Amino acid sequence: MASVPRLRTIDEVAVHESFQIGEWLFTPALHTLCQGERQVVLRAKLVDLLLALVEDAGQVLTRDELLLRVWGTIVVTDDAVTRGISELRRLLGDDRHAPQYIETIRKGGYRLVASPVVRRPARAAGPTVERATPELAAPAGPTSEPASIRRRAVALIVAAGLVLAWLCLPAGRADAHEGPRVLAPARPVPFTVFPGRETDPAVSPDGRRVAFAWGGADDRQYDIYVKAPRGDAVVQITDDAASDTHPTWSPDGARIAFLRHEGGRTHVCAVAAAGGGVVLRLGGTAGYATGLDWSPDGAHLLFASTQGRAHGLRLGALPAAGGDPVWLSDPGALESDHSAVFAPDGARVAFVRTDTAGGVDRVCVMGRDGIGMRMMATGCRKLRGLAWARDDDSLVVGGEDHGQSRLYRLDLRSGALREIPLREERASHPSLSRDARTLVYEDAQPRDHLWEVQLHAKGKPRRMMATTHSEREGTYAPVGAAIAWVSDRSGGADLWLAETAGSAPRRLTRGEHDDVQLPRWSPDARHIAYQASAAGRTGLWLVDVAKGTHRCVLADLARARLCGWTADGEALWFASVRAGEWQLQRLPLAGGPAQPVLSGVTQAAESADGRWLYSSYAGRRGVWRRPLADVLVGGGAEAGECVVRDFVPRATWSWRLAGDHVLLLRMRGGQSEVLRRALDTRAEELLLRCPGRLHAPSLSLSADRSRLLVATVSEGESDLNLIEDFDLP
């Protein structure tokens, strides 16, 4: 590798230095790009990448030089620079074919072509912060701690200097301040650093204590703990063999309510916040429940539960004095409501509505009586927690996009989403004190891991593609020795291909989509169909495995789920919402419109001989089959023959046709089970039992029926981080 000129790090760039790059003002110490009244907050790696180009403006920097300068000894994929450059171009409004800022030198590298690049003092003014699409993140690994510490110190110095300059303005000269002040990225400090996973943080109303759930070093028994922001003492509030999660404070801070999961039910309990008191059961719900929030008037506790639902969660309000819950929401089939929180004035409720068919999550706001709901799209694929700001018109939102989870401010009046600059890429589940000055959030990134099970051997499941990133939705080719799966190892969800043993992996998509899901092989294994989404819209795509070429066969679907191929390989089955109802459709690949076939169907598969169509319905028990010929002409019985009577969408997560068998995925007693059931004799075989949760779409049996491919969902270890004197941008 060629020698690399030494690059000044951010801590060596004077705090007053900014760089005028064309129409943009780049301030490395503040991680900002400004253009007039527009401002974008950059992630650390994008700052370093742009700074490298600025330091050698007009000079060509090779990919290897940029990798060494920006990522150092951290191992990243070869296209880390490519994706970083692409993201900078997008933010700068640049065109790679007619560049005004960054030029690609064929087989050479990149150079900054904008001229001049002028250093000038950083402004104290700052425009409105816009949401920047997250950059490619390097795989988990060691980071440069000294540089990180120095950057945080510089940011604090800058912020302090800006505040001091404002305070020193002469009386009557406040108009000399050029607008809203620029916020340096906030400086979180570690709040808990225990082994295992600390989760569900809840800041007390006065901001002096934080309750959370911790599963211990072995992540088995979750109990409730309380810790003060300053000090090391930790008080254990509950100690029970059941799992205690989701603490919430009473308005006066005297009690803590929480969820206790026990024996297939969830109990809402309360205990004195000081610990050592009697645990009282206030009520309960059948099945699973999640999330808990105490109303400001102390009258109700808000949660989400599967009770009374064939699929997903709905919201309920339980009287704090005890009694039965009142159900506040009724989401549609394959929708789920969760993460509900009361507004500070108690008049409204905010929550997340998840579309389990693959659409992006939405934030919903309604009256506390469940009336007058308003939905807002955020552009985030998953939302991980909400917290109300003090002004009643903003929410702090944990949002996941491009494989990273960050915190945002959502303006409920305009629907605008602005990223909160934290310099972290794993922030979720925020909690704010009543005055919104103390913020605690979870620092964790859930991971999916692929496992192969040799069904006729007694060995343990084998981990495939052992990376530090998510690997999921693995599927064996129907012929040959290959598997396809979805991975975020390159920074976002992409489709990958490898030999059956997991060797020689190669990427089939390269960041063209926000999300990739549900890869499905053609019967001859020459093509893979997949579902891809961007900004909440879904498209169906085909990739030629040998050539690597892609084509979109159907675009702009709001809510859809790819089911699979027809037996002859000439069409695709997919389900989508039409006129408010799920509809199974058949899409001819030779051309022509999709043909509606069955109403209410959310999942379907055609038998290999083309005789039968198997399907399951929204809100209906069972897997059903009908002769395909009858289906295509609209004749026959309404539902057909039920071949799996105990399939329940909310309890049995998924099914997959495997020759003359069907695979079923379900959970019992905290463990996941994969069953294989013969369609003719109904004989059943347990293929796998494992603790925890499996990823529902990740279920595949090899063509010779000797191997099973599944994906586990691992929350991984997590800690809680704290920001005192938090200032919502």
Side-chain angles (χ1 to χ4, degrees), residues 31 118 153 350 410 463 471 484 528 537 629 685 692:
H31 286 219
V118 181
L410 176 63
R463 172 90 174 270
E471 318 284 341
I528 299 174
R537 310 299 290 184
E685 179 185 4

Coordinates of all heavy atoms in Angstrom, one line a residue, residues 31 118 153 350 410 463 471 484 528 537 629 685 692:
H31 N -19.5 18.5 13.7 CA -20.1 17.4 12.9 C -21.2 18.0 12.0 O -22.2 17.3 11.8 CB -20.7 16.3 13.7 CG -19.6 15.4 14.3 ND1 -19.8 14.0 14.5 CD2 -18.4 15.7 14.9 CE1 -18.7 13.5 15.0 NE2 -17.9 14.5 15.3
V118 N -12.2 27.3 1.7 CA -11.8 28.5 2.5 C -12.1 28.2 3.9 O -13.2 27.8 4.3 CB -12.6 29.8 2.0 CG1 -12.1 30.9 2.8 CG2 -12.3 30.0 0.5
A153 N -14.3 15.9 24.0 CA -13.8 17.1 24.7 C -13.9 18.3 23.9 O -14.2 19.4 24.3 CB -12.3 16.8 25.2
A350 N -49.4 8.5 22.7 CA -48.6 8.2 21.5 C -48.2 6.7 21.6 O -47.9 6.2 22.6 CB -47.4 9.1 21.5
L410 N -39.4 14.1 16.9 CA -40.5 14.1 16.0 C -41.4 15.3 16.4 O -42.0 15.3 17.5 CB -41.3 12.8 16.0 CG -42.5 12.8 15.2 CD1 -42.2 12.9 13.7 CD2 -43.3 11.4 15.4
R463 N -23.2 -22.6 13.7 CA -23.4 -21.2 13.4 C -22.8 -20.9 12.0 O -21.7 -21.3 11.7 CB -22.7 -20.3 14.4 CG -22.6 -18.8 14.1 CD -23.7 -18.0 14.6 NE -23.5 -16.6 14.4 CZ -22.9 -15.8 15.2 NH1 -22.5 -16.3 16.4 NH2 -22.7 -14.5 14.9
E471 N -27.6 -11.7 10.4 CA -27.7 -12.7 9.2 C -29.1 -13.4 9.4 O -29.3 -14.0 10.5 CB -26.6 -13.7 9.2 CG -25.2 -13.1 9.5 CD -24.6 -12.4 8.4 OE1 -25.1 -12.6 7.2 OE2 -23.7 -11.6 8.6
A484 N -29.3 -18.6 0.0 CA -29.4 -17.1 -0.1 C -29.9 -16.6 1.2 O -30.6 -17.3 1.9 CB -30.4 -16.7 -1.2
I528 N -33.6 -15.6 -8.1 CA -34.2 -15.3 -6.7 C -35.1 -14.1 -6.8 O -34.7 -13.1 -7.3 CB -33.0 -15.1 -5.7 CG1 -32.1 -16.3 -5.7 CG2 -33.6 -14.8 -4.3 CD1 -30.9 -16.0 -4.8
R537 N -42.6 2.2 0.7 CA -43.2 1.6 -0.5 C -42.4 0.3 -0.9 O -41.2 0.3 -0.7 CB -43.2 2.5 -1.7 CG -43.8 3.9 -1.4 CD -45.2 3.8 -1.0 NE -46.1 3.4 -2.0 CZ -47.4 3.4 -1.9 NH1 -48.0 3.6 -0.8 NH2 -48.2 3.1 -3.0
A629 N -56.4 -25.5 -9.6 CA -57.3 -25.3 -10.8 C -58.6 -24.6 -10.3 O -59.1 -23.7 -11.0 CB -57.7 -26.6 -11.5
E685 N -43.1 -34.3 13.9 CA -41.8 -34.6 14.4 C -41.2 -33.2 14.9 O -41.3 -32.2 14.2 CB -40.9 -35.1 13.2 CG -39.5 -35.4 13.6 CD -38.6 -35.8 12.5 OE1 -39.1 -35.9 11.3 OE2 -37.4 -36.1 12.7
G692 N -35.3 -18.9 23.8 CA -35.4 -17.6 23.1 C -36.3 -17.6 21.9 O -37.1 -18.5 21.7

